[in-house]
Amino acid sequence: MFEKKTLKDYDFSNKRVLVRVDFNVPLDAGRVGDDTRIRAALPTLEYLLAQGASLVLCSHLGRPKGVDVQFSLRPVAEYLDTLIDAPVSFAEDCIGPMAETAAAALQAGEILVLENTRFHAGEKKNDPEIARQFASLADVFVNDAFGTAHRAHASNVGVADYLPAIAGLLLEKEIQYLGQAIADPKRPFVAILGGAKVSDKIGVIRNLLTKADAILIGGGMANTFFRAEGYPMGDSLVEETALDVARELLDKAGDQLRLPIDVVIANAFDAEAESKTMGMDAIPDGWRILDVGPETIAGYGKVVASAGTVVWNGPMGVFEFPNFAKGTFALAQAVAKSSALTIIGGGDSVAAINQSGLADQVTHVSTGGGASLQMLEGDELPGLAALDDR
Ligand code: AMP
């Protein structure tokens, strides 16, 4: 059960609503690249407009150090204008007189997009003064930014101290899917974890060892486990500082944690490097693991095919290089084909499923990598905790 107030719990007619969206999208030469996150916000925006509200939207974009036009939300506001049937204007600051005047002039049915919240240092410090200034722009606050929910910043957490604070449809949906998968999964519950570093996912593995029936490991993070088992790893990416914890997790997990049985190695970290497939064994000097091999994919595919719930976060190899992307794309196929409840989170695994054209064959593609990892760790999301209880 979702314990926070949702859109249905509030009458938004003639209200000015501050909506924290996640418009942290990739910009390509000043134009919106992947628009997934903008489209994901539309149901909430359209619902609120249909209720007769006016909308003030705020978001961060990238990691600017102070005001930096490269990280302006103006292109995102212009892009939103092409997607939604409502007038969209833009304010060149997210607080202060410019934002206040523009917000005060809004009519029901209109949208104002504020400039990047991270242009002010107080945003990331969750400064109460900037939070109060955000709140002064509206009558009610809606948080729909799942992708930022693992951060306690002024525009998603601090602001909730000053206004009625309600969950948007995207936030609600994301939390329902992943929360349900973790708390009461249809079994077998299979987690697939990849990506570069094991150190980023230690908390996730610890928590999932108490919940999942199988954890399938791929990507660079498998290397650290192999090293902990004693294999010479050649020039593979290994986190020496995580070897003790890798050993501890291996001991604890037993058969629950599965590592690749074959790997694709390369003689350079390069898209055009010479490559070989080998059963997992000592990696020769001068070579490094860049992908999982076909037998691993077949084995992992079988586990996924018989699963009741699958959660996948992180690529199986250096999927940016087409020659070393086979493992990741084959796994994307296996997840898409599975009749399990399937949830994909994390930028790279989401990119892989999108590039495969299979996104509509998984149950849920998450818009938040960090936030979904934090849920998998079993930790509370500050962006959710700050909202009003039902
Ligand atoms: P993360 O940010 O931890 O999710 O890791 C994603 C990155 O891990 C991607 O950029 C991949 O290229 C990288 N990666 C995956 N497998 C390997 C590997 N075997 N060696 C080095 N990097 C890898």
Side-chain angles (χ1 to χ4, degrees), residues 246-268:
R247 250 176 238 119
E248 176 213 317
L249 291 171
L250 284 169
D251 284 348
K252 212 171 177 184
D255 293 346
Q256 214 180 339
L257 196 75
R258 287 184 53 172
L259 295 175
I261 51 172
D262 60 344
V263 291
V264 180
I265 59 171
N267 64 353

Side-chain angles (χ1 to χ4, degrees), residues 194-197 200-201 219-220 223 237 269 289-291 314-320 348:
K197 290 184 175 172
D200 291 342
K201 290 179 180 134
N223 300 350
L237 173 78
F269 188 86
I289 300 177
L290 292 188
D291 199 4
M316 294 289 101
V318 181
F319 84 116
E320 296 91 337
D348 295 328

